[in-house]
Amino acid sequence: MLESIIWLLLLEIIGLVTLPLTFTFFRYLPERGYAFSKALGLLLISFVVWFAGMLGLPFTSLTGWVVTLALPGGLGVWLLLKDGRKLLSEMGEWFSRNRWLVVIIELLFIFAYYYLVNLRSFMPEIRDQEKFGDFAFLNSMALHDKLPPADPWMSSYNINYYYFSHFMIALLTKMSGIAPSITFNLSTPMIMAMLASGAFGLVYNLVAVIRNKGGFPAVLAGLTASLFLCWLGNLSVIRQLVAPRPGEGERDPNSGSFFFSWWSPSRVIYDYMPTTGGTYEWRQTINEFPMFSFLLADMHPHVMALPFVLLLVASALNLLLSPADGGALTLRNPEGILNFLLLSISCGALYFINTWDFPTFTLLVVGVALLREIWHGAEEIEAQGRGGLVSAALLGGAIPRNEFRLRGARWLGFSLRLGVVSLLLYTPFHLTFTSLVGEKELPDAVNRIPLVSTIGKLFGAVAWDRTPLWGYILVFGIFIFPLLSFLLIKLYPYLKEPYRYLDENDNNDIMSSKLSSANFMPLLAGAGLFILSELLFITKISLELALAVGLVSAPVLAIGAGNLVRQILVSVRSMRPAFELRIALLVAAVLLVLLGWMVHFELYGPLVMAGSIAGLLLWFEIRKPYARHMSADIFALALILLAVVINWTIEVIYLRDIFESRFNTIFKFYYQTWLLYGLAGAYASWRVIAWLWRLAPFETTEEESDYAKTVQPEYALATAGGLVGKFDYSEDELLEVSRLEERKYPAWRWLWAFGLLALVLCGMVYPILGPYEKSGRYADRKGLDGEAWVAQYYGADYTAINWLRQQKASDPNFEGVLLEAEGGDWNNYSRIATFSGYSTVLGWLSHEAQWRGGNTATMAEVNQRFKDIKTIYDTGDIALAKQLLAKYNVKYVYVGLIETGAASASLYSSVYNEYSPEGLAKFRQFMKPVYEQQGVTIYALK
């Protein structure tokens, strides 16, 4: 375990040297971004080393250490010493006040890190699922010093994937001097630790903002966030225990022995999809969650991106709290330029780490900037040469109050700057990367329309039954409970006094107070479309057209109903029928749910209602006078709204990748939803508990400001001793507070708390039983070497792999393209290229097809290479074999256990090829054996 200590110390060094940058960047967060320092430091160092490597600088350990000391270290020293050592003084004061917070964050990081290091030691094998491909990328980069990195599974090509996270681990591998087969198993513990501390930091900041201080409640809420994001499983585990499905790998209920499937909770939602033959079949989607990912331990981008997604989410919160002339919102001073550059690097990195995350969390940053602009964007300053629209757009900064055009230009300029700069910073990647999608076939008529054809090649319409409500609850039910409670409690004042907001924001002039036939037209149009869709469905004219028309009818009906309800409210406003209004809203909610069921869209009603409530509450909050502490609620509502919008959208469209289904779309966006719901759910849990137990006022009003005095020690003493007036409290004030003290707690608070606790305990079943089963019931601790299994099951191949490594180490010119057998994915093919670092003609076929899916010509070559490999091994025609070897610049041909069929008695016995003896024998006639041991021969061209 010495390697794990070295790795941990390296991360601590990176976090330490990055602290001055972190404190500057996260200036407006209560914990100053300490929990994100390691992630920010690793990102910055990796970015600079990668960019320099793309310009020709060797990718070595020395480069990494020089950049570490020069970039965050050098910038940190400058920041500490400038302005009379102001930052140094700030950091000293912060650490003196928050030493226990630092200890908690570090202990949490170490606990999460070693929790997963311990689990990996029972199952370190780099073998199943996506590990071969991930390790092939890591190993190839760790063993070479040139960029862009070559694709070890497709010779003569560079990696065409979002590989930045693999590059980060390769960089740490070089800097630490640890073998790649071990750092592979240290990478996911690092990610889990960064996620745990980052989730803690973000929710700690939210609670500290709403309370105007940190303390134990903020720490407890932060720990809850770490639990939600890192350890909890979904509710499918309870379904598995109560009603197992043996056909899907779960236990047989009639069996006396206990078995828990750690795999099945990631496969909850199935789509009943049409096939090309006109029939329907069940197709699975992926519903991973972080604990499953950490247990699986693939070093895959959606997992590796987690701490860097949190880094950007924290940046968005910092943006919401920052003034217009501070942080990343202004380019009018050096610190503002530095902060904007850090934000752009963090934002652009998501495209490079996991492209799916880039649009979602860039939208979050831009959306939060808009909320900030509307809410407290009008700073009270004198107009002193700030310029016009162009200046506000290009440079940002403070502007005079009520200059709405300038405020709009400032937000638009910031958004465009962020989008453009975040992409430009990673230009070398974009110039060498081809999209994985965008080459799907379309009808000729559609293909001739430029914009429509592009959209059609990228996105497809979901023309089948969508996610069932029950499945959605199984996946996200633990978070839905506190989130809905939070939304309803926030909404309650508006339901209690539904006309208060209208009275405060009178807009009667925009609408007629009388109903007319025009008010019914949108509703009638939607009803007509819905009836048409039902007729198309009943007559079986076109199921796809029926679903499409039905889908269109849903928003038309919703808009029509909303417009009619709004007009009715205005027409009856003078009578103020509050009870009738609440009944009407309830009926409308029921109708939305029924409408979704009728158009085979079960989530339609629930998601529309949740999104509408979150959106309305956001609007209500930002229309109030600015109060910094309410930023926490606004940010939580923004997280909820973003997640709901994402979930609704993927019920309508999907990304057209190689699977041509929602397989990947559900996978990647539900993973984002888990993070958004988990963060918001942890904050909402504390917020609701605080309201139920009167730990803190839910709304800041004058009455509750009086109530807050009861927590002050001098008031308690005054009350106990009857010392009215001795502590600046009048008798009227004390009577008012006494009345507030007598308020009864909600009678159902214990029932709510029990419900939340029960759900969390259900979620804790997975981190208990899942690792127990996945690790083989903790029977055999094997260490952290992920390639030890190769030596055990493919001993002859492993000896040859080490020989190849030694030859390259002694003579870099020895390396060349090495041909080995290829027969499919998710097995032990491509094991020589994967573990030796040498490039082969073709690795796993379907993976290369997926990575090259955005280019038709390259896709054709992938398929041709697969055929040519078989021909080279099998043919007895030496001239043909020479021609094909020259075509792919092959220097070595590998004939080992899989190629000869001798591996049939080893692990994965189905992995072997039945090449003809004549075909294998021909290599000796025109090639030179450079290695022959234990049934393995490596031939080199003469």
Side-chain angles (χ1 to χ4, degrees), residues 12 81 121 160 168 173 179 313 410 531 555-556 580 643 661 711 749 849:
E12 292 291 349
L81 298 181
S121 70
N160 193 64
M168 290 180 183
T173 299
V313 174
R410 179 172 62 185
I531 293 171
V556 175
E580 292 82 352
S661 69
V711 301
R749 69 187 190 280

Side-chain angles (χ1 to χ4, degrees), residues 644-831:
V644 169
V645 169
I646 290 172
N647 287 191
W648 193 93
T649 302
I650 61 177
E651 293 296 300
V652 179
I653 59 174
Y654 66 94
L655 194 70
R656 299 188 66 189
D657 55 12
I658 192 174
F659 302 104
E660 196 61 75
S661 69
R662 293 202 303 163
F663 180 83
N664 248 343
T665 302
I666 288 281
F667 174 19
K668 300 301 171 62
F669 287 112
Y670 269 27
Y671 210 72
Q672 296 172 6
T673 302
W674 187 280
L675 185 140
L676 293 169
Y677 277 173
L679 292 172
Y683 173 75
S685 298
W686 174 83
R687 203 74 170 90
V688 175
I689 289 173
W691 183 82
L692 291 174
W693 268 266
R694 303 296 187 234
L695 301 179
F698 209 77
E699 293 283 342
T700 300
T701 63
E702 185 176 347
E703 176 182 288
E704 288 165 331
S705 295
D706 289 333
Y707 173 70
K709 295 176 184 177
T710 62
V711 301
Q712 299 179 12
E714 62 268 28
Y715 172 74
L717 179 63
T719 305
L723 304 177
V724 176
K726 299 295 185 181
F727 294 89
D728 296 326
Y729 296 120
S730 68
E731 184 175 359
D732 289 341
E733 287 175 325
L734 290 172
L735 288 173
E736 178 66 13
V737 172
S738 176
R739 184 185 66 80
L740 291 168
E741 281 188 302
E742 293 174 358
R743 289 189 305 179
K744 292 183 178 179
Y745 296 128
W748 46 272
R749 69 187 190 280
W750 287 108
L751 182 62
W752 187 93
F754 176 79
L756 179 63
L757 178 62
L759 287 171
V760 171
L761 290 177
C762 288
M764 287 300 296
V765 171
Y766 188 85
I768 295 172
L769 297 182
Y772 177 73
E773 290 294 340
K774 179 69 167 62
S775 66
R777 306 190 175 188
Y778 305 116
D780 183 16
R781 190 185 296 275
K782 303 169 185 176
L784 293 174
D785 189 355
E787 64 183 34
W789 72 275
V790 184
Q792 179 180 358
Y793 292 101
Y794 293 96
D797 285 336
Y798 188 66
T799 303
I801 288 169
N802 282 326
W803 181 83
L804 287 168
R805 290 173 179 166
Q806 293 166 6
Q807 301 309 305
K808 179 186 180 301
S810 60
D811 179 13
N813 294 324
F814 180 86
E815 188 178 3
V817 178
L818 181 146
L819 179 70
E820 63 176 311
E822 172 51 32
D825 299 57
W826 297 290
N827 51 40
N828 294 340
Y829 287 110
S830 310
R831 81 275 184 209

